[in-house]
Amino acid sequence: MTQSRLQFLQRSKASKEIMKSIKNTLLCTALVLAFGVPALAATDLPSGKSKSTGREFKRSAPETIAPRFDDQEYKELTVQVVYQVLLAEVALKRGKAEFASQAYADLAVRTRDPAILARATEVAGYARRYDLILDLARLWLQVEPASKRAQQVLVGVMIMSNQFDGLAPQLIQMLEADKEALPGNLLALNRMFARSQDRQAVLQLIIKVCAPFLDRPEAHYAIAVAASAAGDHTRALVETRRAIELRPDWEAVALLEAQLIAQKSSTEAIASLQRFVEHHPQAREVQLYLARALVGEKRYGEAKAQFERLLLANPNNPDVVFPVAILALQENDRTLAETQLKHLVTLDIPDKSAAYFYLGQLAEEGKRADEALAAYRQVGQGEHYLPAQIRSAGILNNQGKLDEARRQLRDAAAQNPSSRVQLSIAEAALLRDAKQTETALALLDQELGTQPEQPELLYESALLAEKLGRLEIMESRLRKLLELQPENAQAYNALGYAFADRNIRLPEARQLIEKALQLAPNDPFILDSMAWVLYRQSDLEGALALLQRALALRSDPEIAAHTGEVLWMLGRKDEAQRTLREAHKKDPANEVLKEAIRRFLP
């Protein structure tokens, strides 16, 4: 066979059609997605006539593994090409990707056939031979310079292997080739380099790639995103503002600018959003972001007003309705909150549990027990399920249905084993409130039998033991808890306060509570405990200072009772009586407070 005849066979149409019938999924999917070029499907493969055989053909789908030849096509191919293709495909099918990739690479280099080069790069991808893909893709572009797929493969493997040198011209060429998709492709640039750790290198590359397109706002946006990722705050802001100049109503750029400004000043970021909304009152996404930013800064009144404006334009948008309801709760506007939550559960949203939970709370606070129970029953699995079950049990207990309340908690524990500890503790709390402290402790002891080192069970059972006067049990469990959690401030505090309350082991009590204060210096209950130690040690002024600080942090009836007692002992009886009366109005059922009132109020 002559050399010219062999070259003809290597370039033959039959060869190309056969190779293009092989599985043809593009290796570099990230790049394809970025530029919107879909992988070939069976319907994308055109039919026609083979120039070498004159026969009708229809290209097979990408799932085809091995090429199929008819008699005429065999005549148009060398035996070696056919043999090597079949050998590589059989090897690939048997999991020998490395052998297959090497066989195809050898064949591609010898034939320089675009179809074989395409298949060779794909098989090299299965073998993770990115070095081979790079060489093959470069050869493919030499043979077929206009091939978009060859460009995509080359760019994709360069990105995957972080070889940025020489990449910019290839990307620019691809961007220029599709003017219609240019804006979207510019915006997709940063996604292509999401896995790269060298953010500075990515920034420099994107600056080069965007240089021919700086009349487009998307180019400046792409540079801004890359600059922000690279920590170049100044460049990011400059590029963002250039993008806004070119496209003043672009919400995405306004949001990016606010995010960049917020790194230095949340107040200035909010101001920038407010200016944008003032000029573009229909910018819903920016309005939503602004409202949430106001919430983040605890500017609840302004946030509520912003959400209410959004609500007028978007009355059925859950992203607006729910925040309005939560802000109304924050502002203690129960009527608005309940109205919006009831509307929210009529909308098509995937999970209504949060809405039903808050509706249950509102009904419970409004003394509408049956309505609250009905709402809590609608709360499904998730973060609100456990508190809904516990609150439901509390309502039943208040109705005198302790057995039913306990049964509900036990049923919930059976269905949710991961929440068994919390539900058991809740059941013990019901029993304690019902003056069945012995039964409550027995319940937690039973749970500790299967989980002897469970921290919450140790803590709660220790408190119950203390209430029953079983100090040895209390102390042993709290000591065990401190072995497991040496930084548990509440355990130190509970043990120290138990001693101080009984006026025993005061130096040790003080040491324990001082340790608790080191761990949680602004905890009002630990401050109260420390004050009680000082009171027992006759430091009344020191005790009062700590109690007043604790009461300012939290209006708690027991802290108020202790404050009243210390004031009384200091001879400031009018202040003591006033403190106790004010606390009694808020918590008339508290036992510690009632005892203080019995002792100090006439």
Side-chain angles (χ1 to χ4, degrees):
M1 183 179 295
T2 65
Q3 182 68 22
S4 60
R5 178 59 175 160
L6 178 59
Q7 290 173 346
F8 170 76
L9 287 174
Q10 290 171 345
R11 300 289 196 279
S12 70
K13 181 66 175 180
S15 149
K16 293 177 184 178
E17 297 308 330
I18 290 165
M19 291 312 304
K20 287 182 182 177
S21 71
I22 298 170
K23 185 180 177 185
N24 215 5
T25 305
L26 188 60
L27 171 67
C28 306
T29 55
L31 189 68
V32 173
L33 288 172
F35 282 94
V37 181
L40 291 177
T43 54
D44 298 323
L45 302 173
S47 301
K49 287 187 178 182
S50 169
K51 291 183 180 179
S52 60
T53 65
R55 293 188 178 185
E56 295 286 341
F57 66 86
K58 183 174 183 179
R59 298 189 185 179
S60 56
E63 287 73 13
T64 304
I65 297 299
R68 297 178 180 177
F69 309 103
D70 61 21
D71 292 342
Q72 182 63 31
E73 286 166 341
Y74 266 118
K75 296 175 183 176
E76 298 292 339
L77 297 170
T78 66
V79 172
Q80 180 62 35
V81 169
V82 174
Y83 171 76
Q84 201 155 339
V85 166
L86 292 176
L87 184 67
E89 291 295 336
V90 169
L92 187 62
K93 192 171 184 180
R94 293 181 178 178
K96 299 183 182 296
E98 176 67 29
F99 179 87
S101 67
Q102 203 58 56
Y104 258 124
D106 176 66
L107 186 61
V109 170
R110 286 192 294 106
T111 64
R112 298 174 63 87
D113 187 289
I116 296 176
L117 280 160
R119 181 57 175 165
T121 58
E122 190 175 31
V123 174
Y126 299 146
R128 308 279 182 188
R129 287 290 308 277
Y130 301 123
D131 57 327
L132 201 54
I133 300 170
L134 193 62
D135 292 339
L136 289 167
R138 284 173 174 154
L139 177 59
W140 187 359
L141 274 175
Q142 289 177 19
V143 173
E144 200 172 27
S147 171
K148 289 184 179 180
R149 290 197 57 223
Q151 288 178 339
Q152 291 164 0
V153 171
L154 178 60
V155 168
V157 76
M158 289 176 76
I159 291 172
M160 290 170 69
S161 54
N162 289 314
Q163 298 186 43
F164 293 167
D165 291 343
L167 185 53
Q170 294 288 341
L171 284 172
I172 291 170
Q173 184 178 353
M174 293 174 69
L175 288 166
E176 288 177 332
D178 192 352
K179 292 291 187 183
E180 270 188 40
L182 180 58
N185 288 339
L186 286 168
L187 293 178
L189 278 174
N190 280 281
R191 293 202 299 272
M192 295 167 60
F193 301 96
R195 295 184 181 181
S196 175
Q197 299 299 311
D198 191 346
R199 306 314 304 175
Q200 283 294 336
V202 171
L203 171 59
Q204 295 308 313
L205 176 61
I206 287 181
I207 289 172
K208 291 178 185 176
V209 172
C210 289
F213 312 107
L214 293 180
D215 59 332
R216 301 270 191 163
E218 294 84 4
H220 293 285
Y221 181 87
I223 297 171
V225 171
S228 176
D232 190 342
H233 183 268
T234 303
R235 179 67 184 265
L237 265 178
V238 167
E239 296 296 336
T240 301
R241 285 164 180 164
R242 286 177 182 169
I244 288 177
E245 289 172 6
L246 292 167
R247 187 175 165 186
D249 63 343
W250 194 3
E251 292 188 61
V253 181
L255 292 174
L256 178 58
E257 181 186 30
Q259 290 163 6
L260 292 168
I261 295 172
Q263 294 175 22
K264 292 188 176 179
S265 170
S266 55
T267 302
E268 289 183 22
I270 288 173
S272 76
L273 292 168
Q274 288 172 328
R275 287 191 297 271
F276 188 88
V277 169
E278 185 180 343
H279 289 96
H280 308 284
Q282 303 305 315
R284 189 176 68 86
E285 292 302 320
V286 175
Q287 286 178 301
L288 271 172
Y289 193 92
L290 170 59
R292 290 167 183 156
L294 289 166
V295 171
E297 290 299 298
K298 298 183 179 179
R299 292 161 61 174
Y300 298 123
E302 293 175 76
K304 184 180 174 186
Q306 185 66 41
F307 272 120
E308 285 175 349
R309 282 194 290 272
L310 276 165
L311 193 61
L312 287 174
N314 307 273
N316 296 316
N317 186 332
D319 290 337
V320 176
V321 176
F322 186 63
V324 168
I326 298 304
L327 276 171
L329 285 173
Q330 184 75 36
E331 294 284 292
N332 207 28
D333 187 345
R334 287 177 168 79
T335 302
L336 176 60
E338 193 161 6
T339 299
Q340 293 305 319
L341 288 168
K342 285 181 175 178
H343 177 50
L344 183 64
V345 298
T346 68
L347 300 178
D348 184 17
I349 56 176
D351 186 1
K352 301 178 182 180
S353 291
Y356 278 117
F357 177 74
Y358 291 119
L359 281 171
Q361 279 191 315
L362 287 167
E364 190 178 351
E365 291 167 6
K367 310 298 182 185
R368 306 190 307 270
D370 291 340
E371 190 177 330
L373 286 171
Y376 288 141
R377 288 190 196 104
Q378 298 294 323
V379 177
Q381 296 291 340
E383 64 173 307
H384 296 101
Y385 179 77
L386 185 60
Q389 295 297 314
I390 293 171
R391 294 183 79 101
S392 293
I395 293 172
L396 292 170
N397 186 45
N398 291 336
Q399 293 176 332
K401 302 174 182 177
L402 177 59
D403 289 342
E404 187 178 341
R406 293 183 67 189
R407 188 162 52 250
Q408 174 169 319
L409 292 175
R410 291 188 172 189
D411 289 345
Q415 295 173 17
N416 301 269
S418 62
S419 300
R420 182 181 179 86
V421 168
Q422 291 84 354
L423 290 163
S424 295
I425 290 171
E427 185 181 353
L430 294 180
L431 290 165
R432 181 200 63 211
D433 294 344
K435 312 298 183 186
Q436 297 183 33
T437 311
E438 288 276 7
T439 308
L441 181 57
L443 171 65
L444 296 189
D445 283 347
Q446 183 180 352
E447 291 297 322
L448 273 170
T450 58
Q451 303 181 74
E453 295 189 344
Q454 211 290 327
E456 292 175 79
L457 290 173
L458 286 169
Y459 182 76
E460 296 296 335
S461 65
L463 296 187
L464 288 173
E466 188 272 340
K467 194 173 182 66
L468 290 166
R470 300 176 186 174
L471 294 188
E472 288 185 6
I473 294 176
M474 176 209 71
E475 184 173 359
S476 67
R477 291 187 181 176
L478 288 176
R479 297 282 186 196
K480 185 173 183 178
L481 176 56
L482 288 170
E483 288 177 13
L484 296 169
Q485 297 180 342
E487 303 298 300
N488 190 319
Q490 299 307 320
Y492 285 110
N493 180 57
L495 187 55
Y497 180 76
F499 296 152
D501 195 42
R502 287 167 175 76
N503 205 13
I504 61 173
R505 298 163 64 174
L506 292 180
E508 186 180 357
R510 182 165 182 164
Q511 186 179 20
L512 288 164
I513 297 170
E514 283 175 345
K515 175 65 174 178
L517 270 178
Q518 288 175 11
L519 295 167
N522 294 312
D523 187 304
F525 298 110
I526 299 176
L527 289 168
D528 173 69
S529 298
M530 191 69 229
W532 210 234
V533 172
L534 295 179
Y535 172 62
R536 294 298 195 194
Q537 293 179 328
S538 302
D539 183 0
L540 300 184
E541 292 291 349
L544 181 61
L546 288 177
L547 285 168
Q548 289 174 332
R549 182 180 161 197
L551 202 56
L553 289 168
R554 185 182 178 95
S555 179
D556 180 81
E558 294 190 24
I559 298 175
H562 290 161
T563 305
E565 183 167 345
V566 172
L567 284 167
W568 185 276
M569 298 306 293
L570 282 166
R572 296 160 60 174
K573 296 183 180 180
D574 289 343
E575 288 181 68
Q577 290 175 347
R578 185 168 59 253
T579 298
L580 294 173
R581 285 194 181 100
E582 288 176 358
H584 184 64
K585 287 178 185 177
K586 296 178 182 177
D587 297 278
N590 184 269
E591 294 295 334
V592 175
L593 191 57
K594 286 195 289 187
E595 174 61 21
I597 288 171
R598 185 186 64 76
R599 290 169 59 200
F600 302 116
L601 289 185

